[in-house]
Amino acid sequence: MEELLEILQELRPDVDFENTERLVTDRVIQSFDVVALVAEIDDAFDVKVKPADLLPENFDSVEAMWALIQRLQDEEY
Amino acid sequence: MHSILRHLEKSAETWPKKTVYWDPEESLTFEELYREARAVGTAIGKIRQPETPVAVFTGRHVHTPACYLGIALAGCFYAPMDPTMPQARLRQILDVAGAEVLIADRDTEAAAREAGFNGDLLILDDLLQTREDPEILASAAEKITEVSPLYLLFTSGSTGKPKGVLTSHLALLSYLDGLQSVIGLDDTDVIGGQAPLDYIAAIRDMYLPLMTGGSTVFLPPALSAMPQQLFEALCERGATTLCWSATGLEIPADLGAFDGDEGTGVPLPPLRRVVFSGSVISNIALRKWQDAFPETRFINQYGPTEATGSCTWYEVPSPAEPADVLPIGRAYPHYGILVLNDKDQAAAPGEIGEICVKGPALALGYYGAPEQTAACFVTNPAEDRWPETIYRTGDLGRWDETGLLYFAGRKDRQFKHLGHRIEPEEIEQKAMTLPGMRECACLYQQEKKIIWFFYTGTPEPKELTLAFRKDLPPFMVPRKTVQLEDFPRLPNGKMDRNALKEQMVSRAARKKRM
């Protein structure tokens, strides 16, 4: 999860990701952040985030994003 | 009077019980919209003289356009603002608008006060309860004309302050009529609206239904990066029409919305036409849309806020290929387009010159900024028989042999990012207000849609980003902030921007390999 946090911090140094929930729902991160983030997650974790995975509940917190990445990694095998 | 207000009145007579707007929670019929607008118009008409600004701080819901139209019924003009913008930005905008009255929702009232507004603050919900007074409305209507201002919208300004573009009733109708003659909406059409309501692109979503009897669904902004939900929302209302920024189309395409095998992608609404503008669209994204919607018309638009929406259009005739260069096309009805070369003469086909616009759809000018207005709204130097005002866009273009216009970049450093116009000088000036800053340059990497910021001085990159986040709209905040020992220099000691650009590209590539 460290690597994910690093990606997020680089993307948005102004957000305290560890203590923020409802990141998407409250528009803390916005559509262009999500596009950049998805590209970085695909690259860094060798997964493919699909449109069906792009739900606010999967991106509202670091934990949710991490759970999604792990699920996608499991699906690869 | 030739005005959207005439359409408001007529639409309420023709389609009283039909829904005109939906948001996720509420809807309004044409009749209700007209009633709400008259209530707001009465309340404002009681306290304000015509042709004065009213700031609007309300949220993305069906009552906001009712509020705008109500202000117009009072003969005033609306200056819409996004309450979620950083406070410093709102302060600047409020300062330019100089409005003595502001309308907010209960939950945005505090933001208006925090941004330093100390005039008359009214709550929209209260205004909607006002009993209509036909005399007040009639008296306001008598005091304005077609060329009275209707709205004041803000764009990035190179002086470090946002510019307020003031637009008349006539200009709005000229654009909408030109657009409607090309896209031909009727009362069965449903527009899926993504544009923020304080932004120029929203004029299509809000006002076309009043002319056609159709309707608009205002989509929640959080959906724009969530293609599954976005398309479900479009299908739920049976959207037939999208007028989106090019970026708005690129995002779902880039996120793979249409990549699934048959039946596994997002649900597809019954789109008849997709109109896009704001920047040059990626051919790859356009092709994905075309393949997903083979029966749908795709129309590219071009034009600055100063020409009220868009001034040229081009219907894409066939599936886009990667190497295609999409024309920005030909003038909409009511618009004249000139390309002036550096001798201020009409450019020959193939010759690059500045795109200039004329006609009744031009904005009235920049609010409270006569010098900026005089620099861009000028007398046509190529016409010596009568005085004719043209707007110099600062965009470069060329005609082809068949009379189609092509975009060819900018005269200055302005760029388009995510559909928004950005003057890099505005970002640079903000940075230079930080203690310890020495020199800086803001660059845009078009291919990757990344704003870069290079600087020398003592602040840490993170410090700089936080300062940008605090004061600038989110879309203007540089994604990559790089602290340099020194800038590459030309022999005369000036910053070498081309060398800096090369550094930017190689840095981006290096990152990719890691």
Side-chain angles (χ1 to χ4, degrees):
Chain A
M1 202 154 87
E2 276 305 304
E3 195 179 354
L4 174 62
L5 261 175
E6 268 174 40
I7 290 173
L8 289 165
Q9 291 299 351
E10 199 193 334
L11 197 64
R12 288 289 304 272
D14 56 320
V15 177
D16 174 9
F17 284 96
E18 278 161 292
N19 296 303
T20 313
E21 284 172 11
R22 296 168 57 90
L23 286 165
V24 170
T25 306
D26 289 349
R27 303 194 69 220
V28 178
I29 56 174
Q30 296 179 314
S31 57
F32 38 99
D33 295 321
V34 175
V35 175
L37 178 60
V38 165
E40 301 252 7
I41 288 179
D42 284 1
D43 270 6
F45 301 100
D46 199 23
V47 294
K48 178 85 195 87
V49 178
K50 297 178 294 299
D53 306 319
L54 289 168
L55 301 171
E57 54 262 39
N58 286 337
F59 286 85
D60 263 347
S61 66
V62 187
E63 289 77 21
M65 290 184 224
W66 186 240
L68 171 70
I69 291 167
Q70 287 184 312
R71 207 180 71 228
L72 291 172
Q73 283 178 331
D74 288 345
E75 282 171 16
E76 298 282 305
Y77 299 105
Chain B
M1 190 179 93
H2 196 54
S3 159
I4 192 68
L5 299 175
R6 174 86 62 80
H7 290 283
L8 171 67
E9 184 183 346
K10 260 183 72 183
S11 64
E13 281 165 24
T14 318
W15 306 283
K17 305 288 178 204
K18 200 169 174 292
T19 297
V20 55
Y21 301 135
W22 281 283
D23 65 33
E25 268 123 47
E26 289 178 278
S27 66
L28 278 187
T29 63
F30 282 94
E31 194 176 61
E32 289 164 340
L33 173 66
Y34 191 32
R35 190 191 54 72
E36 289 198 350
R38 282 177 303 170
V40 172
T42 300
I44 297 299
K46 272 184 200 164
I47 56 169
R48 297 301 297 155
Q49 287 299 313
E51 301 192 333
T52 56
V54 176
V56 183
F57 241 65
T58 58
R60 186 172 176 74
H61 50 65
V62 294
H63 309 291
T64 288
C67 178
Y68 294 170
L69 289 162
I71 291 166
L73 282 172
C76 299
F77 54 96
Y78 63 92
M81 301 168 198
D82 176 354
T84 66
M85 284 278 159
Q87 238 182 60
R89 180 73 168 185
L90 290 172
R91 261 174 210 278
Q92 285 184 318
I93 292 179
L94 281 167
D95 186 46
V96 175
E100 289 170 30
V101 175
L102 182 148
I103 303 177
D105 291 327
R106 279 188 214 295
D107 59 359
T108 58
E109 184 183 359
R113 286 290 182 217
E114 279 158 22
F117 180 77
N118 48 22
D120 233 345
L121 201 158
L122 309 172
I123 299 297
L124 179 56
D125 267 350
D126 300 339
L127 300 187
L128 293 176
Q129 309 307 319
T130 312
R131 232 182 86 200
E132 178 196 337
D133 185 334
E135 264 179 52
I136 287 179
L137 295 175
S139 139
E142 276 172 21
K143 292 189 183 125
I144 59 167
T145 72
E146 281 87 344
V147 288
S148 294
L150 171 63
Y151 61 71
L152 177 61
L153 299 182
F154 294 88
T155 72
S156 175
S158 56
T159 60
K161 248 170 72 172
K163 281 192 288 199
V165 180
L166 188 68
T167 298
S168 70
H169 288 256
L170 177 64
L172 175 74
L173 265 205
S174 301
Y175 169 60
L176 291 179
D177 186 73
L179 171 66
Q180 166 64 3
S181 72
V182 168
I183 64 175
L185 302 191
D186 63 35
D187 62 2
T188 67
D189 278 305
V190 179
I191 300 175
Q194 277 211 100
L197 299 182
D198 63 315
Y199 184 50
I200 180 77
I203 59 175
R204 299 182 267 270
D205 301 340
M206 294 189 295
Y207 301 134
L208 278 172
L210 306 188
M211 303 172 76
T212 62
S215 57
T216 292
V217 47
F218 298 114
L219 302 160
L223 292 195
S224 57
M226 305 282 133
Q228 183 72 27
Q229 292 182 324
L230 176 65
F231 280 82
E232 279 168 10
L234 291 170
C235 287
E236 188 193 345
R237 296 288 169 216
T240 65
T241 304
L242 306 181
C243 304
W244 285 5
S245 68
T247 311
L249 296 184
E250 286 163 355
I251 288 174
D254 289 351
L255 290 173
F258 310 125
D259 292 352
D261 301 326
E262 192 99 358
T264 65
V266 297
L268 301 180
L271 293 179
R272 299 173 187 160
R273 59 192 80 69
V274 173
V275 183
F276 52 95
S277 52
S279 53
V280 180
I281 197 169
S282 123
N283 286 331
I284 296 166
L286 175 58
R287 180 59 181 269
K288 287 184 178 178
W289 276 84
Q290 289 175 305
D291 288 345
F293 297 97
E295 302 299 319
T296 305
R297 297 171 69 196
F298 286 86
I299 295 162
N300 186 22
Q301 291 193 115
Y302 155 82
T305 303
E306 288 85 342
T308 311
S310 305
C311 50
T312 71
W313 66 282
Y314 177 76
E315 183 158 354
V316 187
S318 55
E321 297 295 337
D324 285 354
V325 179
L326 214 55
I328 52 180
R330 56 186 79 250
Y332 272 118
H334 312 303
Y335 286 82
I337 302 289
L338 296 82
V339 176
L340 295 183
N341 64 19
D342 46 18
K343 295 189 186 65
D344 271 346
Q345 293 157 345
E351 186 187 1
I352 288 182
E354 182 175 6
I355 301 175
C356 302
V357 190
K358 62 179 189 174
L362 290 193
L364 296 167
Y366 299 118
Y367 191 63
E371 280 169 24
Q372 285 176 309
T373 303
C376 298
F377 294 85
V378 302
T379 304
N380 182 359
E383 178 56 79
D384 55 13
R385 295 166 299 169
W386 67 84
E388 176 183 70
T389 300
I390 61 171
Y391 170 67
R392 303 197 77 124
T393 64
D395 289 330
L396 299 173
R398 64 178 169 82
W399 299 108
D400 73 3
E401 299 293 337
T402 68
L404 287 175
L405 187 63
Y406 286 77
F407 180 72
R410 281 291 297 176
K411 267 179 82 174
D412 54 16
R413 293 173 52 214
Q414 186 194 97
F415 56 86
K416 293 297 284 272
H417 176 56
L418 307 162
H420 296 275
R421 212 159 98 169
I422 297 176
E423 309 275 2
E425 293 89 342
E426 191 174 351
I427 300 170
E428 291 163 3
Q429 294 202 7
K430 181 58 63 190
M432 291 311 287
T433 62
L434 289 184
M437 282 297 287
R438 289 222 314 270
E439 205 177 354
C440 64
C442 175
L443 260 57
Y444 190 56
Q445 192 179 11
Q446 187 73 48
E447 318 76 63
K448 294 186 174 287
K449 298 197 177 71
I450 293 176
I451 305 175
W452 289 76
F453 192 84
F454 295 91
Y455 71 100
T456 57
T458 51
E460 290 296 313
K462 177 162 178 165
E463 214 177 308
L464 208 51
T465 304
L466 290 174
F468 288 142
R469 282 276 167 207
K470 198 167 135 281
D471 289 351
L472 296 173
F475 58 84
M476 279 177 74
V477 176
R479 167 130 301 150
K480 305 284 181 197
T481 305
V482 184
Q483 190 175 20
L484 299 174
E485 288 288 310
D486 192 13
F487 278 97
R489 304 271 170 198
L490 294 165
N492 66 6
K494 280 190 176 169
M495 183 189 297
D496 183 346
R497 286 185 185 273
N498 287 327
L500 191 59
K501 230 173 230 172
E502 282 164 25
Q503 265 199 35
M504 167 184 85
V505 173
S506 68
R507 272 172 191 273
R510 205 161 60 226
K511 176 109 207 307
K512 190 82 197 159
R513 273 202 308 279
M514 277 176 3

